[in-house]
């Protein structure tokens, strides 16, 4: 059962454009939503994360938008650069009990010049 | 500061062979994890160790065993490799016991690419 659904599977964006990756979740107990960035040949690394008590979090060119009622969250990359080309994973976890971090299936982002 | 180190980087096995994937972290983290990454399926948890001396099954534990040798090291063993275990395996660690929170992200190694023929 896929508890976190991520789309699109792949995305091609022109340099300078906005990249948008969407995720939807089912478990209303989730209360922490991180995004991980993975470059080819490397392991994923935490990029940015949000808690559901805020609707948006921004770090540089990266913004998470969160819609609690719709159970959706998305990653926006403004002014996308070739160096942003990577695979992005959304994830979710509940910090109550012994829940496990659940990852989305990943989005391969390619920024073309 | 090496972070999480995995060995080997690449491995080819024949069906039925066994092997152990090694993982070590130098960040004094309490929790360690093994994930596998397959195209279109994201990262799936195989086993984890919430603290030294404990291990628990994750989402896809069948065909694998683990050992938390000490606080630094967490190994993954394939007793009888099958083609379905062809994958990229990632070890990760986090500071706090249990799973990552907003103050304790996962730190991943660079993976072991395993092919079983």
């Amino acid at each position: 059962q896929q508890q976190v659904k991520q789309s699109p599977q792949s995305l091609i964006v022109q340099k300078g454009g906005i990249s948008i990756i969407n995720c939807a979740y089912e478990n209303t107990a989730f209360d922490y939503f991180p995004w991980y960035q993975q470059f080819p040949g490397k392991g994923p690394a935490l990029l940015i994360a949000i808690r559901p008590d805020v609707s948006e979090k921004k770090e540089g060119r990266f913004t998470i938008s969160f819609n609690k009622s719709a159970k959706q969250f998305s990653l926006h990359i403004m002014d996308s650069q070739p160096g942003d080309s990577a695979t992005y994973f959304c994830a979710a976890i509940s910090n109550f009990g012994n829940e496990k971090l659940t990852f989305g299936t990943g989005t391969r982002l390619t920024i073309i010049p | 500061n090496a972070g999480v180190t995995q060995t080997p980087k690449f491995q080819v096995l024949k069906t039925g062979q066994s092997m152990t994937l090694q993982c070590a972290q130098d960040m004094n983290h309490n929790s360690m994890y093994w994930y596998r990454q397959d195209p279109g399926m994201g990262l799936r948890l195989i086993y984890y160790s919430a603290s030294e001396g404990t291990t628990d099954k994750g989402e896809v534990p069948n065909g694998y065993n683990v050992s938390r040798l000490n606080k630094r090291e967490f190994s993954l063993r394939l007793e009888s490799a099958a083609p379905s275990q062809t994958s990229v395996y990632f070890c990760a660690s986090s500071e706090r016991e249990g799973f990552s929170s907003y103050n304790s992200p996962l730190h991943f190694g660079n993976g072991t690419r395993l092919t079983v023929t």
Side-chain angles (χ1 to χ4, degrees), chain B residues 10 19 24 29 35 41 52 90 110:
Chain B
F10 301 93
M19 79 160 295
H29 284 173
Y35 286 89
M41 303 195 76
E52 187 179 356
F90 287 99
N110 286 331

Side-chain angles (χ1 to χ4, degrees), chain A residues 32 36 38 43-44 89 93 98, chain B residues 37 48 90 99 102 106 108-109:
Chain A
Y32 173 62
Y36 282 79
Q38 182 184 29
F89 293 96
I93 188 172
N98 192 25
Chain B
Q37 182 178 10
Y48 68 101
F90 287 99
F99 273 85
Y102 20 87
L106 294 178
F108 285 86

Side-chain angles (χ1 to χ4, degrees), chain A residues 48-61:
Chain A
I48 187 173
I50 195 168
R51 294 167 57 181
D53 52 350
V54 297
S55 60
E56 186 175 283
K57 182 172 182 181
K58 184 175 180 179
E59 289 185 4
R61 295 182 295 106

Side-chain angles (χ1 to χ4, degrees), chain B residues 86-107:
Chain B
T86 293
S87 187
V88 182
Y89 291 86
F90 287 99
C91 177
S93 68
S94 67
E95 183 176 3
R96 61 167 259 178
E97 293 188 13
F99 273 85
S100 65
S101 72
Y102 20 87
N103 292 322
S104 184
L106 294 178
H107 296 259

